[in-house]
Amino acid sequence: ARGSDALSLEDSVLEGGPHRNFRLRPRRAAFGQLLKGSLYRFKCVLSNVGVQASRYRVHQPDDGNGNVHPLVSVLYTPGSVAAGMSVVIEVEIWCTECGVINTEAAIETETEHFFIPINAVVLPSDTFGAWELEGGHIPCNVTAIDQLPKKMVRSKAPTVATLRKQLAAKREAVLMGKAEGNAGKLHDLQDPVSEPHVPSMEIDWFVDGTRNLSEIKEMTARDRLRERKIQELKRRGRPVNEASLAAVEAELRLKFNSPSHTSQCVLSHI
């Protein structure tokens, strides 16, 4: 059924009855007087008054000739609405021309169809200013928006498929000799990327109250590791004697005389 401003008691009962799944408030998008060159949105609430989840979709307003209306659009998020939940639907008017706007948008659900009548009057700036001085004001559901219309704003960046098509077009232009400059070198999406340098997780520092920082920096990596091993023995409560020191020296010889450590040292000197 088409929405109207007049809502009787019978309509109120039927809208929440067993034959209706959705209820729209307000039932008409009456913008009133609007200023040319501005963007306005009218907020409606679509509620699921049924007992189970249901889906809906909105058919955009047309201009009377079967084409999408160039000035009016409906903003919504398609999907399912759970029972007892509501979603917001916004009707947007981009006032680029003066005149009367009288159209409607259709809401299609799984069990019913109904319409949102949309009407507005777009006035030039002088007429709109005089109307405001006489006490005129836009309805409370209408909001002036200081931005471009949603349908004119790009919602997301180009997809990977689009980028691949662009690369293929550039590569074909190079082969045909139509590229300019240094366009012969194209980086594909699958070109190898150098691996990032992963820092070592090994601790190369120790605390010694008898040495200053410059002395510790001048020590070799082997001497610093030896001091750390001795401090680790003390921290664990183990004795520092000839046997434990011999075990530390054996571990240091095994580490610093290994082929992998020797090659790393050579590369670091290079």
Side-chain angles (χ1 to χ4, degrees):
R2 294 177 180 269
S4 62
D5 290 332
L7 183 63
S8 63
L9 179 60
E10 182 182 1
D11 292 333
S12 300
V13 174
L14 289 178
E15 283 201 350
H19 303 292
R20 297 297 300 271
N21 286 338
F22 284 93
R23 180 180 64 188
L24 181 68
R25 285 290 182 271
R27 302 177 67 181
R28 177 186 297 272
F31 283 82
Q33 316 289 335
L34 303 180
L35 175 63
K36 179 184 177 181
S38 301
L39 177 68
Y40 296 91
R41 288 181 189 161
F42 189 100
K43 183 179 295 185
C44 301
V45 177
L46 184 67
S47 304
N48 185 351
V49 296
V51 295
Q52 60 184 0
S54 183
R55 305 180 69 87
Y56 77 99
R57 65 175 179 175
V58 177
H59 296 271
Q60 296 294 331
D62 58 22
D63 58 357
N65 298 321
N67 302 318
V68 177
H69 202 290
L71 307 180
V72 186
S73 60
V74 179
L75 311 178
Y76 73 104
T77 302
S80 177
V81 183
M85 302 301 292
S86 302
V87 294
V88 175
I89 296 178
E90 291 184 303
V91 182
E92 184 179 82
I93 293 183
W94 179 232
C95 304
T96 58
E97 302 176 0
C98 294
V100 177
I101 297 176
N102 191 11
T103 183
E104 60 184 10
I107 298 181
E108 179 183 358
T109 70
E110 297 175 358
T111 59
E112 58 189 335
H113 295 76
F114 53 96
F115 298 86
I116 310 176
I118 304 170
N119 53 72
V121 179
V122 182
L123 303 176
S125 57
D126 52 350
T127 308
F128 185 83
W131 173 73
E132 283 188 322
L133 292 177
E134 295 176 358
H137 57 84
I138 60 178
C140 59
N141 281 24
V142 180
T143 305
I145 306 298
D146 188 16
Q147 64 182 40
L148 290 176
K150 281 289 185 67
K151 59 184 178 182
M152 295 181 61
V153 179
R154 191 179 185 89
S155 59
K156 59 182 179 179
T159 61
V160 175
T162 302
L163 296 178
R164 287 175 177 169
K165 290 181 181 179
Q166 294 175 356
L167 290 173
K170 290 182 180 180
R171 195 173 291 109
E172 183 179 359
V174 171
L175 295 177
M176 298 298 295
K178 297 181 181 180
E180 300 179 357
N182 297 327
K185 184 178 180 182
L186 296 176
H187 297 281
D188 197 357
L189 296 176
Q190 303 299 327
D191 284 347
V193 180
S194 59
E195 295 292 336
H197 173 69
V198 180
S200 175
M201 301 298 294
E202 184 179 358
I203 299 176
D204 193 22
W205 58 271
F206 65 96
V207 179
D208 189 353
T210 62
R211 295 185 178 93
N212 55 34
L213 183 59
S214 59
E215 293 176 348
I216 296 176
K217 287 183 177 180
E218 292 176 358
M219 296 174 63
T220 62
R222 189 180 190 280
D223 294 337
R224 289 196 297 269
L225 181 58
R226 183 179 184 276
E227 293 295 333
R228 291 201 306 276
K229 295 291 184 180
I230 294 174
Q231 289 186 359
E232 186 177 356
L233 291 174
K234 295 179 180 179
R235 185 172 63 254
R236 295 182 177 181
R238 297 181 181 180
V240 181
N241 49 28
E242 294 182 0
S244 60
L245 292 177
V248 170
E249 291 295 336
E251 186 177 351
L252 293 176
R253 285 195 299 271
L254 182 62
K255 178 178 178 60
F256 286 92
N257 293 335
S258 62
S260 60
H261 184 269
T262 305
S263 61
Q264 290 179 1
C265 294
V266 173
L267 291 175
S268 62
H269 287 299
I270 292 177

